[in-house]
Amino acid sequence: MEEANAATTKLLTLLNVSAIKSGKRKWIYDEPPSVKLNKRKTVKHVSIAVESTESSDGTGVGDGVAVDSGPTAMALDSVATNEESKEEDVSPSMYGRHFASQNEILTEKARNSIEQNAWATATERKEKFGTVIERVPEGSTPAKPVEGATLSEKLSARLKSSQERLPQDLRLLQNAVLSDITAYQDLYFPRTTQDSHPPIRDAVCLHFLNHIQRKRRRILKNNEKLSQSKETPTETEDIRDQGFARPSVLILLPFRSWAMRWVDSLTKHTPKPEFQVENHARFMSEYALPEGAIDKLEDAPPGTYPKDHVDMFRGNIDDSFRVGIKLTRKSVKLFSDFYQSDIIIASPLGLRMSIEKDKNADFLSSIEILLVDQMNALAMQNWEHLQLVLSNINVLPKEIRDTDFSRIKQWYLDGHASYLRQSILLAPFETPEFRYLFNSFLKNTAGKKRVESMYQAVQVPEGVSQDYVRFDCSSHKEEPDKRFEYFTEKLLPTVLKSAVQSTNTVIFVPSSFDFIRVENYLRKHEGVTYSVLSEYSTNSDIARSRHAFFTNKVNFLLISERFHFFRRYKIRGIRNMLFYGLPDQAQFYTEFLTYPFLDEGVHPADVTCRALYCKYDWMKLERIAGTEAAAGLLK
């Protein structure tokens, strides 16, 4: 009850403040608008002519066209064809069940179960998925697919031509993803690989398009119903079909090149061949590489860079961007104003800059589907940017922008939108930060699914000695201090006593905070010579450090995981590897144990490896040592 009262208070304040502003409707909560005002249903919605005012960040309104005002103006996008008007589901669709103004899954009991972290958990094995953990709020029953052909089967038919070019396993994986996301449950898939990402992306884009199309048809049908009805909207059933703002899909990505891939998938699957993509030339000029520029990753000979590095960093890797996409019946308009867009594609940094500039995130108030892709790259950028953006999703808006409150769904007004938002999280592996998002941020009353895997040990050169060194700690809060204490008091002194291990040694540090701590300790330690490679190192710093280490002018080379993620240099001169902590990306472990053999005459017996770990490193340890071996190491 307190939560409902708080939401009501915010809405009343919003209405009263908005009412005294010029250009806004003079609505007073205690005096609802007269029938005459509501007769706006009998006339066409008015468009506001706007001159070209595109902002430098690409989020402004442009092209000197008439621009719709408010969420209801989606009806101006198109006139429903006979086919579209007839296609309104005879039987309830998954969209209709999940996002109905009054739906059966958004119960007080389900909301209380989520807030109390009371979930009913079930485990099943699914083909091409592996083990799937499904969590549903206690007391809630997820909606089952409608009778007959399911939505996922209908969407699969639209993918038939592209699926014919896919291997059988990827085709099955794509259908499995479609089956889960079209039920509007949350999906956390930390097994996205370079090969599986394109078919998964195509499936998710089809889901986005279907969602937006159904939402538009519902609004068009209600517009028609209102125009023909003599009743007032308050007397008409089921006309609440909107949120506070138009954007309903948010896609968060690390780089502009990844935005290009998602836009390509969206435009590739638009339903009709005569679809036009507006502002596509501008999009290519801003999101592709400049004309004449050479991509050194793609043009390099095969094997120069790891395949996953090429896939991640090819193209434009600017990490500050945001673009709105407006979908109509016959066109896709890029660079539409956020409040006139159906989809927003952005980086967390780009959205954070927009939020801080406008001092609000009202355009995120009505997000119904959230996608976070390449979470490993976002974690290497700045995790705080992502956290700030997520904290602003589905928050009650601070301003009203020509919102028709008679059409807003009740659960938006109650502040319960986060309990129906669908979230899709994609990553190549899992970290505690990702799992925390799944456990605490995803509150879908329809339930949520997490895919987990069994891992085999990574391949390392045969004969290399690997020593996993365990330290104990009783709490994750004390883990950084216990790790540093063990490293400085036990592990490093042992290394310094050895004439062999105290030279040609790389110290790999995953965390940026730990990296600074270790560097400060080495700086004060007498008799230790070292160089540093971090994400802040300039090209000249990198060349100097690599040369000093290779020529034995320094004994230690301190490397951060972020440096290796962004640069991926092959380091020569290594004979001893000291992992202050295991890397998140298991391939990094393999790469550092193969670098010693870049030098001639090196035998496996000449190479040593020590890796520091504790029970809170389970996810990293599992990917590197293998699931069964990791369980044994922790025991």
Side-chain angles (χ1 to χ4, degrees):
M1 291 299 293
E2 293 181 358
E3 182 183 356
N5 291 336
T8 303
T9 302
K10 291 181 181 178
L11 283 171
L12 288 174
T13 303
L14 182 62
L15 284 168
N16 290 333
V17 171
S18 175
I20 63 175
K21 293 185 178 181
S22 60
K24 300 288 184 181
R25 294 196 189 102
K26 305 299 188 293
W27 278 30
I28 301 176
Y29 186 79
D30 295 330
E31 299 180 11
S34 64
V35 176
K36 182 177 180 180
L37 286 177
N38 281 331
K39 285 295 185 179
R40 62 198 293 266
K41 69 193 178 206
T42 63
V43 297
K44 294 183 178 179
H45 298 283
V46 180
S47 296
I48 302 174
V50 179
E51 296 179 357
S52 180
T53 57
E54 288 190 354
S55 60
S56 58
D57 61 9
T59 61
V61 180
D63 302 330
V65 296
V67 180
D68 320 330
S69 176
T72 311
M74 292 180 72
L76 294 173
D77 290 344
S78 63
V79 178
T81 62
N82 292 333
E83 178 185 358
E84 285 178 324
S85 60
K86 291 178 181 178
E87 195 173 328
E88 187 68 32
D89 298 341
V90 176
S91 59
S93 66
M94 294 303 295
Y95 169 83
R97 289 177 176 178
H98 191 82
F99 291 105
S101 180
Q102 300 290 340
N103 63 66
E104 56 188 25
I105 66 171
L106 187 60
T107 62
E108 183 178 0
K109 185 175 182 180
R111 297 197 308 272
N112 291 336
S113 295
I114 292 172
E115 294 304 323
Q116 296 169 8
N117 199 28
W119 300 81
T121 303
T123 303
E124 65 173 327
R125 291 282 302 176
K126 295 188 68 174
E127 188 177 14
K128 302 306 175 185
F129 257 32
T131 303
V132 179
I133 310 297
E134 182 179 13
R135 305 182 69 188
V136 178
E138 291 183 357
S140 174
T141 303
K144 296 182 179 180
V146 297
E147 296 296 328
T150 63
L151 174 59
S152 61
E153 291 172 344
K154 294 178 182 178
L155 295 183
S156 295
R158 290 170 60 176
L159 286 170
K160 185 175 181 181
S161 59
S162 61
Q163 281 190 337
E164 291 175 352
R165 299 188 295 270
L166 292 175
Q168 179 69 11
D169 58 339
L170 293 182
R171 189 182 312 171
L172 294 174
L173 174 62
Q174 188 178 60
N175 289 334
V177 170
L178 268 177
S179 177
D180 278 355
I181 62 177
T182 51
Y184 283 102
Q185 288 186 310
D186 293 339
L187 176 63
Y188 172 34
F189 193 79
R191 287 181 49 196
T192 311
T193 64
Q194 182 180 347
D195 293 330
S196 66
H197 189 273
I200 292 176
R201 184 172 66 232
D202 286 347
V204 174
C205 282
L206 269 182
H207 176 53
F208 291 162
L209 293 172
N210 178 76
H211 174 84
I212 295 169
Q213 189 178 47
R214 286 182 179 273
K215 181 177 180 179
R216 184 181 70 214
R217 288 175 181 170
R218 180 67 55 85
I219 293 175
L220 289 172
K221 183 177 180 180
N222 285 339
N223 286 346
E224 182 180 0
K225 182 191 300 183
L226 289 173
S227 66
Q228 297 174 357
S229 175
K230 296 181 180 180
E231 300 174 350
T232 63
T234 56
E235 298 170 340
T236 305
E237 297 181 358
D238 195 25
I239 57 111
R240 294 187 179 272
D241 49 18
Q242 299 164 28
F244 294 106
R246 176 167 175 167
S248 59
V249 176
L250 175 63
I251 302 175
L252 296 177
L253 305 169
F255 305 119
R256 288 181 182 248
S257 58
W258 284 92
M260 282 190 60
R261 301 182 203 187
W262 279 93
V263 169
D264 287 344
S265 288
L266 284 168
T267 55
K268 179 173 64 176
H269 296 298
T270 45
K272 297 182 179 180
E274 63 268 21
F275 248 77
Q276 296 182 350
V277 182
E278 300 181 32
N279 298 327
H280 189 261
R282 177 189 168 191
F283 180 78
M284 294 301 295
S285 67
E286 295 186 15
Y287 283 74
L289 288 174
E291 187 176 355
I294 299 176
D295 192 331
K296 68 175 185 178
L297 293 179
E298 288 194 312
D299 291 350
T304 304
Y305 299 97
K307 291 182 179 180
D308 67 294
H309 186 71
V310 176
D311 184 62
M312 175 63 70
F313 291 100
R314 61 185 171 91
N316 189 333
I317 57 171
D318 178 57
D319 64 350
S320 178
F321 62 91
R322 50 198 179 274
V323 58
I325 302 177
K326 176 181 178 180
L327 300 178
T328 71
R329 190 168 59 87
K330 290 188 177 181
S331 69
V332 176
K333 181 179 180 181
L334 305 174
F335 297 103
S336 57
D337 180 85
F338 275 179
Y339 291 96
Q340 310 302 327
S341 302
D342 298 294
I343 301 173
I344 295 175
I345 298 180
S347 65
L349 174 60
L351 272 192
R352 178 170 190 162
M353 294 173 63
S354 181
I355 292 171
E356 292 177 346
K357 177 182 177 182
D358 298 335
K359 294 182 172 51
N360 69 66
D362 292 354
F363 53 86
L364 300 179
S365 62
S366 303
I367 296 299
E368 295 175 342
I369 302 179
L370 166 69
L371 172 89
V372 186
D373 190 18
Q374 302 303 310
M375 296 175 68
N376 56 317
L378 297 178
M380 287 293 171
Q381 291 174 336
N382 192 325
W383 194 247
E384 185 182 349
H385 295 334
L386 178 63
Q387 290 176 313
L388 183 138
V389 171
L390 296 183
S391 67
N392 281 279
I393 297 178
N394 297 131
V395 175
L396 289 175
K398 296 181 179 180
E399 297 182 14
I400 297 178
R401 293 169 173 80
D402 299 310
T403 304
D404 184 356
F405 275 79
S406 68
R407 301 284 292 270
I408 295 181
K409 297 175 182 179
Q410 186 60 47
W411 41 267
Y412 274 117
L413 301 174
D414 294 336
H416 295 156
S418 61
Y419 295 106
L420 290 175
R421 181 194 62 243
Q422 181 186 33
S423 300
I424 302 171
L425 310 180
L426 302 179
F429 52 80
E430 192 171 21
T431 72
E433 292 80 7
F434 304 168
R435 180 72 70 86
Y436 176 79
L437 281 187
F438 174 81
N439 288 337
S440 63
F441 180 71
L442 307 190
K443 299 181 178 182
N444 193 342
T445 52
K448 52 187 178 181
K449 291 184 178 180
R450 174 175 62 85
V451 178
E452 62 179 26
S453 304
M454 294 284 289
Y455 292 91
Q456 300 296 324
V458 297
Q459 298 297 315
V460 299
E462 187 177 355
V464 172
S465 173
Q466 302 177 70
D467 186 11
Y468 293 95
V469 182
R470 176 175 176 169
F471 68 96
D472 294 321
C473 61
S474 57
S475 169
H476 71 277
K477 294 182 178 179
E478 67 176 17
E479 181 267 333
D481 293 333
K482 289 291 186 180
R483 186 184 298 271
F484 181 75
E485 178 183 330
Y486 192 95
F487 176 80
T488 56
E489 295 181 3
K490 296 184 179 180
L491 189 57
L492 187 60
T494 302
V495 171
L496 293 175
K497 290 179 182 178
S498 171
V500 175
Q501 296 182 18
S502 60
T503 186
N504 301 109
T505 300
V506 164
I507 303 176
F508 180 92
V509 185
S511 166
S512 296
F513 299 106
D514 289 337
F515 184 87
I516 296 172
R517 197 175 190 179
V518 172
E519 182 184 2
N520 290 336
Y521 178 81
L522 294 180
R523 184 183 296 115
K524 299 175 183 178
H525 198 290
E526 296 182 1
V528 174
T529 59
Y530 71 96
S531 289
V532 172
L533 292 178
S534 74
E535 60 269 30
Y536 301 109
S537 300
T538 63
N539 290 335
S540 58
D541 292 336
I542 295 171
R544 192 182 308 113
S545 295
R546 294 176 69 193
H547 182 265
F549 181 73
F550 180 67
T551 57
N552 290 324
K553 293 181 179 179
V554 296
N555 294 332
F556 293 89
L557 183 62
L558 188 62
I559 298 180
S560 71
E561 183 168 8
R562 286 188 175 183
F563 169 81
H564 193 62
F565 175 79
F566 287 107
R567 300 297 188 116
R568 216 61 169 266
Y569 279 100
K570 296 178 180 178
I571 309 298
R572 298 185 61 187
I574 300 176
R575 297 298 179 271
N576 307 290
M577 276 302 308
L578 193 57
F579 287 95
Y580 184 85
L582 293 170
D584 277 320
Q585 192 156 325
Q587 187 174 343
F588 293 177
Y589 183 86
T590 300
E591 289 172 358
F592 275 101
L593 292 187
T594 59
Y595 289 161
F597 302 97
L598 297 173
D599 304 324
E600 296 181 359
V602 177
H603 298 282
D606 300 330
V607 181
T608 65
C609 171
R610 293 188 180 188
L612 200 57
Y613 77 98
C614 70
K615 63 182 179 180
Y616 297 107
D617 293 323
W618 161 254
M619 293 180 181
K620 300 177 181 181
L621 190 64
E622 181 188 27
R623 289 191 293 272
I624 292 173
T627 302
E628 294 183 2
L633 288 170
L634 290 182
K635 290 180 180 179

